């Protein structure tokens, strides 16, 4: 019995409004500062599995009193290289130069040891595959699979994992005013979190919890290694 009219109208606006109309009226539909902050945070924590990631993972909350939408942050298990073999200086570098962690250098992430792609596996539409990729028997490659490249703010015309785009993100960052808002918030948060001890203090608190309360479940060397990998993101350099 929910009234989905506001959502339908918002999606119609995002997808079909002209550039001038989008720029002038977006802040009547969306909390643009909160949205820019959301994008900036995901950039800083190296999370490619967000609103413009492989599954366009996001929720929008509608406030009936204000008539505004805001994005809901969730699904952060792949932040800070959570997919494996990813870090700020290697295979999974952050998207600061436009390349999402999972597709840097045109490579696909390696699945965990022992993991096999199921027969008939179909990757998300727009998912990037390496040039020499040979699909397993029965695997279907959907129309729209992108060549290597893309990434938030990068070249190649795509944003997000494997060139998959989200119209709201794409148009938001294409607008000069909203893009500037995003860059300003990104710089401010980078300094607040990584230019001080704020992020490190949070990390240290969780290391302490794991060390004192979960030593029978997680080896100390694993805790130290993964904490160091996360701390590698704590830099003020773009």
């Amino acid at each position: 019995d929910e009234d989905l009219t506001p959502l339908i109208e918002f999606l119609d606006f995002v997808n079909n409004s002209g550039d001038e109309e989008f720029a002038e009226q977006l802040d009547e539909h969306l909390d643009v500062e909160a949205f820019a902050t959301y994008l900036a945070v995901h950039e800083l924590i190296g999370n490619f599995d967000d609103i413009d990631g492989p599954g366009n993972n996001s929720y929008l909350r509608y406030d009936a009193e204000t008539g505004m939408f805001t994005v809901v942050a969730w699904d952060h298990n792949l932040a800070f290289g959570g997919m494996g073999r990813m870090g700020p200086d290697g295979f999974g570098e952050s998207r600061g130069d436009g390349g999402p962690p999972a597709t840097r250098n045109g490579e696909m992430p390696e699945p965990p040891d022992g993991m096999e792609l199921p027969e008939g596996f179909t990757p998300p539409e727009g998912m990037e595959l390496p040039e020499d990729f040979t699909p397993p028997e029965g695997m279907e490659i959907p129309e729209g699979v992108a060549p290597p490249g893309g990434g938030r703010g990068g070249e190649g015309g795509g944003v997000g994992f494997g060139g998959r785009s989200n119209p709201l993100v794409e148009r938001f960052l294409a607008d000069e005013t909203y893009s500037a808002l995003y860059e300003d918030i990104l710089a401010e948060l980078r300094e607040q979190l990584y230019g001080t001890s704020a992020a490190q203090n949070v990390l240290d608190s969780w290391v302490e919890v794991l060390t004192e309360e979960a030593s029978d479940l997680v080896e100390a060397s694993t805790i130290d290694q993964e904490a160091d990998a996360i701390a590698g993101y704590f830099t003020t350099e773009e």
Side-chain angles (χ1 to χ4, degrees), residues 2-150:
E2 280 188 282
D3 181 11
L4 299 180
T5 302
L7 177 61
I8 294 171
E9 292 178 346
F10 178 60
L11 295 178
D12 179 60
F13 171 80
V14 170
N15 285 282
N16 299 313
S17 61
D19 291 342
E20 184 175 348
E21 180 184 6
F22 180 86
E24 292 178 352
Q25 300 181 19
L26 180 62
D27 60 359
E28 299 175 11
H29 301 273
L30 178 74
D31 185 335
V32 295
E33 184 170 350
F35 188 65
T37 302
Y38 165 88
L39 295 179
V41 168
H42 282 262
E43 178 72 22
L44 290 175
I45 65 175
N47 182 39
F48 75 95
D49 193 23
D50 59 358
I51 191 172
D52 64 336
N56 276 200
N57 288 336
S58 63
Y59 283 108
L60 292 173
R61 180 183 184 276
Y62 177 69
D63 188 327
E65 294 185 3
T66 64
M68 303 276 283
F69 282 93
T70 186
V71 68
V72 178
W74 76 296
D75 193 19
H76 295 96
N77 61 304
L78 298 184
F80 297 116
M83 195 167 184
R85 289 195 66 229
M86 295 193 291
D89 301 313
F91 177 72
E93 297 177 63
S94 71
R95 287 187 292 189
D97 67 350
T103 56
R104 293 302 302 274
N105 303 320
E107 300 178 13
M108 289 291 291
E110 291 185 2
D113 292 341
M115 176 180 175
E116 296 182 3
L117 293 175
E119 184 175 348
F121 169 77
T122 302
E125 181 181 352
M127 182 176 183
E128 190 173 280
L129 300 174
E131 295 179 359
D132 58 352
F133 176 76
T134 301
E137 181 179 353
M139 178 178 177
E140 299 178 6
I141 307 300
E143 183 177 353
V145 167

Side-chain angles (χ1 to χ4, degrees), residues 137-206:
E137 181 179 353
M139 178 178 177
E140 299 178 6
I141 307 300
E143 183 177 353
V145 167
R152 183 170 296 162
E155 298 178 357
V159 291
F161 176 77
R164 184 183 178 96
S165 67
N166 178 284
L168 177 57
V169 178
E170 197 169 54
R171 300 197 69 185
F172 189 87
L173 294 179
D175 179 84
E176 183 176 342
T177 300
Y178 295 134
S179 178
L181 175 64
Y182 161 75
E183 293 292 347
D184 288 345
I185 291 177
L186 178 62
E188 181 180 355
L189 288 177
R190 180 180 281 117
E191 183 59 34
Q192 289 179 355
L193 297 174
Y194 297 165
T196 68
S197 59
Q200 187 64 52
N201 289 341
V202 173
L203 177 60
D204 290 344
S205 69
W206 285 109

